[in-house]
Amino acid sequence: MDAQELIERYNAGEREFGGAYLVRADLRGAVLSEANLSEANLDEADLSGADLRRACLDLAHLSGANLAGANLEGTFLYGAYLSGANLTGANLEGARLHGADLTGATQ
């Protein structure tokens, strides 16, 4: 699955994308609120300005991802790998980060 297919399936009402492989995907400004992206590989993906409110990203790989300005309000990030991620200006209000790896992440 690529970024375009993910967005099309989301817009068609699908919300289950656990384990998706989206390394370096361009998801700038994407609306993916309440999507299940648990265990997805989003390493180095561009999610700047994306709406990920209440999404499930448990155990997801987001190393080196650009989440600048993303809305992560209420997002589940249990055990997620966010090392080196750019979280500048991201809304993390109510985000669940228990066990997340934030080594080298910027905010």
Side-chain angles (χ1 to χ4, degrees):
M1 170 184 344
D2 63 13
Q4 185 63 37
E5 182 182 350
L6 171 72
I7 292 168
E8 288 173 4
R9 288 169 59 178
Y10 180 88
N11 289 338
E14 189 173 342
R15 297 294 181 267
E16 295 297 320
F17 305 104
Y21 183 83
L22 294 157
V23 172
R24 293 189 235 21
D26 183 353
L27 291 163
R28 289 175 287 175
V31 176
L32 297 169
S33 61
E34 299 184 8
N36 178 11
L37 289 158
S38 60
E39 299 184 29
N41 190 334
L42 291 150
D43 286 340
E44 299 180 28
D46 189 348
L47 291 149
S48 57
D51 181 355
L52 294 162
R53 287 174 293 146
R54 296 176 304 283
C56 180
L57 290 158
D58 291 345
L59 301 173
H61 289 255
L62 292 145
S63 294
N66 183 5
L67 291 152
N71 190 347
L72 298 165
E73 182 180 348
T75 300
F76 295 89
L77 291 153
Y78 292 110
Y81 302 94
L82 292 148
S83 59
N86 179 1
L87 295 164
T88 305
N91 178 3
L92 293 164
E93 184 177 340
R96 284 109 172 147
L97 293 157
H98 182 75
D101 180 358
L102 294 161
T103 306
T106 59
Q107 63 174 7

